Amino acid sequence: MKFDQFRRGAMLLLAAFAALLSGCTTYVTTQVTAFSDWGNGSDATRTYAFARSPSQENSLEQRTYENTVANELAMYSFKQAPATEARYWVGLTYSIKGDMATVSQPVYYAPPPAFGPYWGPNPWGPWGPWGPYPSGYVTQSFPVYTHTLGIRITERTTGKEVYNVTARNANEDPSLVTSMPYLVRSALDGFPAGNGAVRTVKIAVDKNSGASNEVAAPTPAAASGAASASAPSASPKPAQ
């Protein structure tokens, strides 16, 4: 009987904590690494076509992500053009990788009152005789998925790489589709970033689980372990 009372008290405590968290604004946090040799090109020269590897050529997933990237590039005066007229190739790489994360959390128990009945307003509170006491830790494992997007911009006529950015975030969502809007916005946020720039970009999640218009100010992130986006094939086949 006492054990059931103790367990019920601990569950109430956890429920109150979850309710508190539910009122907080949720953000998607993305690590962004950019390498740039953009120069001072005018807006009139920001024409591009998408470069595709053979596996991307007939992919509906590829076209869906291209539309998302095109919408974001338009915010920076980029315009799509026929492959023979575009100044730039824009190549995309993307991936999702699953792993297991392990965390340790404290476990609480509530001992029975030692000195008779308690007449306070909240016997389950921190100062009550049935209040929670730490008794140890429990280890739990859960899946974590890392979503990665690379955007590489090269000059069509010379093949010179002028911009290469990688955006990466991790959460419990096994779908790359739902993370792509956040990856794209984060990757191109503040375009063009300086060469070797490493930042953390936070984007608020709206009530419809999409990317909202609120972007938190980016903060510096550790440069170690950052990787640039891989290039498309040496002779990409442009969109027709």
Side-chain angles (χ1 to χ4, degrees):
M1 176 67 69
K2 291 181 179 179
F3 176 77
D4 291 338
Q5 291 177 337
F6 304 156
R7 183 173 61 180
R8 186 171 68 89
M11 292 178 65
L12 290 173
L13 181 66
L14 291 175
F17 183 65
L20 179 63
L21 290 180
S22 65
C24 300
T25 301
T26 302
Y27 290 89
V28 174
T29 301
T30 303
Q31 303 297 321
V32 179
T33 305
F35 297 93
S36 176
D37 186 19
W38 186 250
N40 297 314
S42 68
D43 289 345
T45 62
R46 291 188 176 187
T47 57
Y48 72 95
F50 284 107
R52 297 171 182 161
S53 65
S55 63
Q56 295 173 336
E57 183 59 36
N58 296 313
S59 170
L60 286 174
E61 181 182 21
Q62 171 74 15
R63 293 178 184 272
T64 300
Y65 298 157
E66 285 179 1
N67 289 336
T68 304
V69 172
N71 290 336
E72 195 66 22
L73 285 174
M75 301 294 292
Y76 299 95
S77 301
F78 280 87
K79 300 177 178 65
Q80 282 190 264
T84 56
E85 301 174 11
R87 180 174 181 181
Y88 301 108
W89 288 119
V90 175
L92 307 181
T93 57
Y94 40 87
S95 65
I96 182 170
K97 179 181 179 181
D99 204 348
M100 296 297 293
T102 302
V103 296
S104 295
Q105 296 178 326
V107 176
Y108 295 88
Y109 77 99
F115 303 104
Y118 176 76
W119 305 105
N122 183 12
W124 291 103
W127 304 108
W130 301 338
Y133 293 83
S135 63
Y137 290 84
V138 62
T139 299
Q140 295 180 319
S141 297
F142 54 91
V144 174
Y145 299 90
T146 301
H147 315 89
T148 303
L149 168 68
I151 301 176
R152 183 176 186 254
I153 303 177
T154 58
E155 291 183 344
R156 181 180 62 85
T157 57
T158 66
K160 176 185 177 182
E161 181 180 88
V162 293
Y163 204 71
N164 193 330
V165 60
T166 301
R168 182 179 291 107
N169 61 39
N171 53 45
E172 73 284 358
D173 191 346
S175 171
L176 182 61
V177 175
T178 54
S179 288
M180 189 56 67
Y182 302 98
L183 291 170
V184 172
R185 286 194 60 191
S186 299
L188 296 174
D189 179 56
F191 178 89
N195 186 47
V198 182
R199 302 186 302 162
T200 299
V201 180
K202 295 174 63 179
I203 299 178
V205 180
D206 67 15
K207 62 181 180 180
N208 296 318
S209 299
S212 75
N213 292 326
E214 179 184 351
V215 179
T219 57
S224 60
S228 62
S230 59
S233 58
S235 300
K237 184 177 180 180
Q240 301 298 325

